[in-house]
PDB file of all heavy atoms in Angstrom:
ATOM      1  N   PHE A 875      53.999 103.449 103.133  1.00 75.00           N
ATOM      2  CA  PHE A 875      53.499 104.370 102.120  1.00 75.00           C
ATOM      3  C   PHE A 875      54.604 104.865 101.185  1.00 75.00           C
ATOM      4  O   PHE A 875      54.311 105.533 100.203  1.00 75.00           O
ATOM      5  CB  PHE A 875      52.830 105.570 102.790  1.00 75.00           C
ATOM      6  CG  PHE A 875      51.643 105.197 103.614  1.00 75.00           C
ATOM      7  CD1 PHE A 875      51.642 105.382 104.992  1.00 75.00           C
ATOM      8  CD2 PHE A 875      50.518 104.660 103.028  1.00 75.00           C
ATOM      9  CE1 PHE A 875      50.548 105.027 105.754  1.00 75.00           C
ATOM     10  CE2 PHE A 875      49.418 104.311 103.776  1.00 75.00           C
ATOM     11  CZ  PHE A 875      49.431 104.488 105.148  1.00 75.00           C
ATOM     12  N   LEU A 876      55.870 104.544 101.506  1.00 78.00           N
ATOM     13  CA  LEU A 876      56.979 104.961 100.651  1.00 78.00           C
ATOM     14  C   LEU A 876      57.243 103.960  99.530  1.00 78.00           C
ATOM     15  O   LEU A 876      58.126 104.185  98.704  1.00 78.00           O
ATOM     16  CB  LEU A 876      58.243 105.150 101.498  1.00 78.00           C
ATOM     17  CG  LEU A 876      58.148 106.224 102.589  1.00 78.00           C
ATOM     18  CD1 LEU A 876      59.450 106.306 103.361  1.00 78.00           C
ATOM     19  CD2 LEU A 876      57.815 107.585 101.981  1.00 78.00           C
ATOM     20  N   TYR A 877      56.508 102.844  99.526  1.00 79.00           N
ATOM     21  CA  TYR A 877      56.691 101.846  98.467  1.00 79.00           C
ATOM     22  C   TYR A 877      56.284 102.459  97.133  1.00 79.00           C
ATOM     23  O   TYR A 877      55.214 103.054  97.000  1.00 79.00           O
ATOM     24  CB  TYR A 877      55.842 100.613  98.756  1.00 79.00           C
ATOM     25  CG  TYR A 877      55.918  99.559  97.676  1.00 79.00           C
ATOM     26  CD1 TYR A 877      56.993  98.688  97.601  1.00 79.00           C
ATOM     27  CD2 TYR A 877      54.910  99.443  96.717  1.00 79.00           C
ATOM     28  CE1 TYR A 877      57.068  97.726  96.605  1.00 79.00           C
ATOM     29  CE2 TYR A 877      54.967  98.487  95.725  1.00 79.00           C
ATOM     30  CZ  TYR A 877      56.049  97.637  95.676  1.00 79.00           C
ATOM     31  OH  TYR A 877      56.121  96.685  94.688  1.00 79.00           O
ATOM     32  N   GLU A 878      57.140 102.336  96.151  1.00 79.00           N
ATOM     33  CA  GLU A 878      56.888 102.929  94.835  1.00 79.00           C
ATOM     34  C   GLU A 878      56.765 101.837  93.774  1.00 79.00           C
ATOM     35  O   GLU A 878      57.498 100.852  93.801  1.00 79.00           O
ATOM     36  CB  GLU A 878      58.017 103.881  94.450  1.00 79.00           C
ATOM     37  CG  GLU A 878      58.123 105.105  95.350  1.00 79.00           C
ATOM     38  CD  GLU A 878      59.210 106.057  94.894  1.00 79.00           C
ATOM     39  OE1 GLU A 878      59.881 105.721  93.889  1.00 79.00           O
ATOM     40  OE2 GLU A 878      59.388 107.097  95.536  1.00 79.00           O
ATOM     41  N   PHE A 879      55.845 102.017  92.875  1.00 75.00           N
ATOM     42  CA  PHE A 879      55.714 101.132  91.715  1.00 75.00           C
ATOM     43  C   PHE A 879      55.196 101.958  90.554  1.00 75.00           C
ATOM     44  O   PHE A 879      54.594 103.014  90.740  1.00 75.00           O
ATOM     45  CB  PHE A 879      54.774  99.962  92.023  1.00 75.00           C
ATOM     46  CG  PHE A 879      53.325 100.337  92.026  1.00 75.00           C
ATOM     47  CD1 PHE A 879      52.499 100.004  90.964  1.00 75.00           C
ATOM     48  CD2 PHE A 879      52.765 101.023  93.097  1.00 75.00           C
ATOM     49  CE1 PHE A 879      51.160 100.349  90.968  1.00 75.00           C
ATOM     50  CE2 PHE A 879      51.432 101.365  93.111  1.00 75.00           C
ATOM     51  CZ  PHE A 879      50.628 101.025  92.037  1.00 75.00           C
ATOM     52  N   GLN A 880      55.442 101.475  89.354  1.00 75.00           N
ATOM     53  CA  GLN A 880      55.071 102.215  88.161  1.00 75.00           C
ATOM     54  C   GLN A 880      54.577 101.273  87.084  1.00 75.00           C
ATOM     55  O   GLN A 880      55.152 100.202  86.877  1.00 75.00           O
ATOM     56  CB  GLN A 880      56.268 103.029  87.650  1.00 75.00           C
ATOM     57  CG  GLN A 880      55.931 103.934  86.474  1.00 75.00           C
ATOM     58  CD  GLN A 880      57.122 104.779  86.040  1.00 75.00           C
ATOM     59  OE1 GLN A 880      58.193 104.663  86.626  1.00 75.00           O
ATOM     60  NE2 GLN A 880      56.939 105.608  85.032  1.00 75.00           N
ATOM     61  N   LEU A 881      53.513 101.670  86.419  1.00 77.00           N
ATOM     62  CA  LEU A 881      52.971 100.917  85.296  1.00 77.00           C
ATOM     63  C   LEU A 881      52.967 101.814  84.068  1.00 77.00           C
ATOM     64  O   LEU A 881      52.409 102.903  84.099  1.00 77.00           O
ATOM     65  CB  LEU A 881      51.544 100.431  85.584  1.00 77.00           C
ATOM     66  CG  LEU A 881      51.379  99.378  86.669  1.00 77.00           C
ATOM     67  CD1 LEU A 881      49.907  99.031  86.824  1.00 77.00           C
ATOM     68  CD2 LEU A 881      52.164  98.129  86.341  1.00 77.00           C
ATOM     69  N   ASP A 882      53.635 101.358  83.009  1.00 74.00           N
ATOM     70  CA  ASP A 882      53.668 102.123  81.768  1.00 74.00           C
ATOM     71  C   ASP A 882      52.450 101.778  80.932  1.00 74.00           C
ATOM     72  O   ASP A 882      52.524 101.061  79.936  1.00 74.00           O
ATOM     73  CB  ASP A 882      54.957 101.834  80.996  1.00 74.00           C
ATOM     74  CG  ASP A 882      56.192 102.253  81.775  1.00 74.00           C
ATOM     75  OD1 ASP A 882      56.092 103.241  82.519  1.00 74.00           O
ATOM     76  OD2 ASP A 882      57.229 101.574  81.655  1.00 74.00           O
ATOM     77  N   SER A 883      51.335 102.273  81.373  1.00 74.00           N
ATOM     78  CA  SER A 883      50.076 101.979  80.679  1.00 74.00           C
ATOM     79  C   SER A 883      49.182 103.204  80.760  1.00 74.00           C
ATOM     80  O   SER A 883      49.137 103.883  81.788  1.00 74.00           O
ATOM     81  CB  SER A 883      49.381 100.769  81.323  1.00 74.00           C
ATOM     82  OG  SER A 883      48.129 100.549  80.724  1.00 74.00           O
ATOM     83  N   GLU A 884      48.480 103.485  79.663  1.00 75.00           N
ATOM     84  CA  GLU A 884      47.603 104.655  79.624  1.00 75.00           C
ATOM     85  C   GLU A 884      46.128 104.267  79.670  1.00 75.00           C
ATOM     86  O   GLU A 884      45.269 105.107  79.434  1.00 75.00           O
ATOM     87  CB  GLU A 884      47.891 105.467  78.357  1.00 75.00           C
ATOM     88  CG  GLU A 884      49.308 106.041  78.318  1.00 75.00           C
ATOM     89  CD  GLU A 884      49.553 106.886  77.086  1.00 75.00           C
ATOM     90  OE1 GLU A 884      48.627 106.980  76.253  1.00 75.00           O
ATOM     91  OE2 GLU A 884      50.652 107.445  76.958  1.00 75.00           O
ATOM     92  N   ASP A 885      45.846 102.991  79.965  1.00 78.00           N
ATOM     93  CA  ASP A 885      44.451 102.565  80.034  1.00 78.00           C
ATOM     94  C   ASP A 885      43.941 102.714  81.465  1.00 78.00           C
ATOM     95  O   ASP A 885      44.554 103.370  82.310  1.00 78.00           O
ATOM     96  CB  ASP A 885      44.296 101.123  79.545  1.00 78.00           C
ATOM     97  CG  ASP A 885      45.203 100.167  80.310  1.00 78.00           C
ATOM     98  OD1 ASP A 885      45.774 100.577  81.334  1.00 78.00           O
ATOM     99  OD2 ASP A 885      45.350  99.009  79.880  1.00 78.00           O
ATOM    100  N   GLU A 886      42.756 102.085  81.740  1.00 79.00           N
ATOM    101  CA  GLU A 886      42.146 102.216  83.057  1.00 79.00           C
ATOM    102  C   GLU A 886      43.024 101.636  84.166  1.00 79.00           C
ATOM    103  O   GLU A 886      43.048 102.159  85.280  1.00 79.00           O
ATOM    104  CB  GLU A 886      40.771 101.523  83.069  1.00 79.00           C
ATOM    105  CG  GLU A 886      39.681 102.241  82.295  1.00 79.00           C
ATOM    106  CD  GLU A 886      39.749 101.984  80.805  1.00 79.00           C
ATOM    107  OE1 GLU A 886      40.695 101.300  80.357  1.00 79.00           O
ATOM    108  OE2 GLU A 886      38.858 102.484  80.083  1.00 79.00           O
ATOM    109  N   ILE A 887      43.760 100.540  83.851  1.00 77.00           N
ATOM    110  CA  ILE A 887      44.630  99.952  84.868  1.00 77.00           C
ATOM    111  C   ILE A 887      45.774 100.900  85.201  1.00 77.00           C
ATOM    112  O   ILE A 887      46.158 101.064  86.363  1.00 77.00           O
ATOM    113  CB  ILE A 887      45.159  98.585  84.388  1.00 77.00           C
ATOM    114  CG1 ILE A 887      43.994  97.582  84.290  1.00 77.00           C
ATOM    115  CG2 ILE A 887      46.243  98.058  85.307  1.00 77.00           C
ATOM    116  CD1 ILE A 887      44.404  96.201  83.848  1.00 77.00           C
ATOM    117  N   GLY A 888      46.349 101.546  84.171  1.00 78.00           N
ATOM    118  CA  GLY A 888      47.386 102.536  84.424  1.00 78.00           C
ATOM    119  C   GLY A 888      46.875 103.703  85.238  1.00 78.00           C
ATOM    120  O   GLY A 888      47.567 104.213  86.131  1.00 78.00           O
ATOM    121  N   TYR A 889      45.637 104.125  84.937  1.00 79.00           N
ATOM    122  CA  TYR A 889      45.036 105.220  85.714  1.00 79.00           C
ATOM    123  C   TYR A 889      44.806 104.796  87.162  1.00 79.00           C
ATOM    124  O   TYR A 889      45.035 105.580  88.095  1.00 79.00           O
ATOM    125  CB  TYR A 889      43.708 105.631  85.069  1.00 79.00           C
ATOM    126  CG  TYR A 889      42.995 106.751  85.785  1.00 79.00           C
ATOM    127  CD1 TYR A 889      43.425 108.062  85.656  1.00 79.00           C
ATOM    128  CD2 TYR A 889      41.894 106.482  86.598  1.00 79.00           C
ATOM    129  CE1 TYR A 889      42.771 109.088  86.316  1.00 79.00           C
ATOM    130  CE2 TYR A 889      41.241 107.496  87.264  1.00 79.00           C
ATOM    131  CZ  TYR A 889      41.683 108.811  87.117  1.00 79.00           C
ATOM    132  OH  TYR A 889      41.037 109.810  87.792  1.00 79.00           O
ATOM    133  N   LEU A 890      44.363 103.536  87.346  1.00 79.00           N
ATOM    134  CA  LEU A 890      44.176 103.016  88.706  1.00 79.00           C
ATOM    135  C   LEU A 890      45.492 103.001  89.471  1.00 79.00           C
ATOM    136  O   LEU A 890      45.551 103.383  90.643  1.00 79.00           O
ATOM    137  CB  LEU A 890      43.581 101.611  88.636  1.00 79.00           C
ATOM    138  CG  LEU A 890      43.458 100.845  89.965  1.00 79.00           C
ATOM    139  CD1 LEU A 890      42.506 101.573  90.909  1.00 79.00           C
ATOM    140  CD2 LEU A 890      42.980  99.419  89.723  1.00 79.00           C
ATOM    141  N   ALA A 891      46.564 102.552  88.803  1.00 80.00           N
ATOM    142  CA  ALA A 891      47.875 102.504  89.456  1.00 80.00           C
ATOM    143  C   ALA A 891      48.343 103.903  89.831  1.00 80.00           C
ATOM    144  O   ALA A 891      48.870 104.127  90.935  1.00 80.00           O
ATOM    145  CB  ALA A 891      48.887 101.823  88.536  1.00 80.00           C
ATOM    146  N   ALA A 892      48.163 104.865  88.910  1.00 80.00           N
ATOM    147  CA  ALA A 892      48.577 106.239  89.194  1.00 80.00           C
ATOM    148  C   ALA A 892      47.771 106.823  90.349  1.00 80.00           C
ATOM    149  O   ALA A 892      48.319 107.500  91.224  1.00 80.00           O
ATOM    150  CB  ALA A 892      48.407 107.099  87.934  1.00 80.00           C
ATOM    151  N   SER A 893      46.459 106.543  90.371  1.00 81.00           N
ATOM    152  CA  SER A 893      45.609 107.032  91.459  1.00 81.00           C
ATOM    153  C   SER A 893      46.017 106.413  92.792  1.00 81.00           C
ATOM    154  O   SER A 893      46.059 107.094  93.821  1.00 81.00           O
ATOM    155  CB  SER A 893      44.135 106.707  91.170  1.00 81.00           C
ATOM    156  OG  SER A 893      43.714 107.309  89.966  1.00 81.00           O
ATOM    157  N   LEU A 894      46.344 105.118  92.761  1.00 80.00           N
ATOM    158  CA  LEU A 894      46.762 104.437  93.991  1.00 80.00           C
ATOM    159  C   LEU A 894      48.089 105.001  94.497  1.00 80.00           C
ATOM    160  O   LEU A 894      48.270 105.223  95.697  1.00 80.00           O
ATOM    161  CB  LEU A 894      46.885 102.936  93.722  1.00 80.00           C
ATOM    162  CG  LEU A 894      47.182 102.053  94.937  1.00 80.00           C
ATOM    163  CD1 LEU A 894      46.032 102.108  95.927  1.00 80.00           C
ATOM    164  CD2 LEU A 894      47.424 100.619  94.495  1.00 80.00           C
ATOM    165  N   SER A 895      49.008 105.244  93.567  1.00 82.00           N
ATOM    166  CA  SER A 895      50.295 105.808  93.949  1.00 82.00           C
ATOM    167  C   SER A 895      50.130 107.212  94.522  1.00 82.00           C
ATOM    168  O   SER A 895      50.767 107.571  95.531  1.00 82.00           O
ATOM    169  CB  SER A 895      51.225 105.847  92.730  1.00 82.00           C
ATOM    170  OG  SER A 895      52.484 106.363  93.070  1.00 82.00           O
ATOM    171  N   PHE A 896      49.254 108.005  93.891  1.00 80.00           N
ATOM    172  CA  PHE A 896      48.991 109.352  94.406  1.00 80.00           C
ATOM    173  C   PHE A 896      48.349 109.286  95.786  1.00 80.00           C
ATOM    174  O   PHE A 896      48.700 110.054  96.685  1.00 80.00           O
ATOM    175  CB  PHE A 896      48.086 110.102  93.429  1.00 80.00           C
ATOM    176  CG  PHE A 896      47.671 111.462  93.913  1.00 80.00           C
ATOM    177  CD1 PHE A 896      48.572 112.519  93.901  1.00 80.00           C
ATOM    178  CD2 PHE A 896      46.389 111.683  94.399  1.00 80.00           C
ATOM    179  CE1 PHE A 896      48.185 113.772  94.353  1.00 80.00           C
ATOM    180  CE2 PHE A 896      46.003 112.929  94.853  1.00 80.00           C
ATOM    181  CZ  PHE A 896      46.901 113.984  94.823  1.00 80.00           C
ATOM    182  N   MET A 897      47.404 108.349  95.953  1.00 82.00           N
ATOM    183  CA  MET A 897      46.761 108.190  97.256  1.00 82.00           C
ATOM    184  C   MET A 897      47.783 107.841  98.330  1.00 82.00           C
ATOM    185  O   MET A 897      47.760 108.367  99.441  1.00 82.00           O
ATOM    186  CB  MET A 897      45.693 107.097  97.177  1.00 82.00           C
ATOM    187  CG  MET A 897      44.969 106.853  98.503  1.00 82.00           C
ATOM    188  SD  MET A 897      44.019 105.314  98.490  1.00 82.00           S
ATOM    189  CE  MET A 897      45.354 104.112  98.531  1.00 82.00           C
ATOM    190  N   ALA A 898      48.737 106.946  97.974  1.00 79.00           N
ATOM    191  CA  ALA A 898      49.756 106.546  98.940  1.00 79.00           C
ATOM    192  C   ALA A 898      50.640 107.729  99.326  1.00 79.00           C
ATOM    193  O   ALA A 898      50.998 107.898 100.499  1.00 79.00           O
ATOM    194  CB  ALA A 898      50.598 105.415  98.367  1.00 79.00           C
ATOM    195  N   SER A 899      51.006 108.547  98.314  1.00 80.00           N
ATOM    196  CA  SER A 899      51.837 109.714  98.625  1.00 80.00           C
ATOM    197  C   SER A 899      51.104 110.696  99.523  1.00 80.00           C
ATOM    198  O   SER A 899      51.692 111.272 100.439  1.00 80.00           O
ATOM    199  CB  SER A 899      52.275 110.406  97.334  1.00 80.00           C
ATOM    200  OG  SER A 899      51.159 110.938  96.643  1.00 80.00           O
ATOM    201  N   GLU A 900      49.785 110.865  99.268  1.00 78.00           N
ATOM    202  CA  GLU A 900      49.008 111.752 100.120  1.00 78.00           C
ATOM    203  C   GLU A 900      48.882 111.180 101.540  1.00 78.00           C
ATOM    204  O   GLU A 900      48.954 111.924 102.528  1.00 78.00           O
ATOM    205  CB  GLU A 900      47.614 111.968  99.523  1.00 78.00           C
ATOM    206  CG  GLU A 900      47.617 112.781  98.243  1.00 78.00           C
ATOM    207  CD  GLU A 900      48.157 114.178  98.446  1.00 78.00           C
ATOM    208  OE1 GLU A 900      47.699 114.855  99.383  1.00 78.00           O
ATOM    209  OE2 GLU A 900      49.079 114.567  97.699  1.00 78.00           O
ATOM    210  N   MET A 901      48.713 109.865 101.627  1.00 79.00           N
ATOM    211  CA  MET A 901      48.637 109.243 102.951  1.00 79.00           C
ATOM    212  C   MET A 901      49.966 109.352 103.687  1.00 79.00           C
ATOM    213  O   MET A 901      50.005 109.527 104.912  1.00 79.00           O
ATOM    214  CB  MET A 901      48.224 107.776 102.807  1.00 79.00           C
ATOM    215  CG  MET A 901      46.794 107.587 102.320  1.00 79.00           C
ATOM    216  SD  MET A 901      46.352 105.856 102.073  1.00 79.00           S
ATOM    217  CE  MET A 901      46.328 105.261 103.759  1.00 79.00           C
ATOM    218  N   ALA A 902      51.075 109.261 102.919  1.00 78.00           N
ATOM    219  CA  ALA A 902      52.393 109.429 103.537  1.00 78.00           C
ATOM    220  C   ALA A 902      52.547 110.843 104.078  1.00 78.00           C
ATOM    221  O   ALA A 902      53.072 111.052 105.182  1.00 78.00           O
ATOM    222  CB  ALA A 902      53.492 109.119 102.522  1.00 78.00           C
TER     223      ALA A 902
END
Side-chain angles (χ1 to χ4, degrees):
F875 298 115
L876 299 179
Y877 177 80
E878 295 183 359
F879 76 104
Q880 185 177 1
L881 293 179
D882 298 327
S883 176
E884 296 182 358
D885 55 11
E886 288 81 356
I887 293 181
Y889 180 76
L890 173 63
S893 300
L894 186 64
S895 181
F896 176 75
M897 180 194 71
S899 65
E900 291 298 310
M901 292 177 69

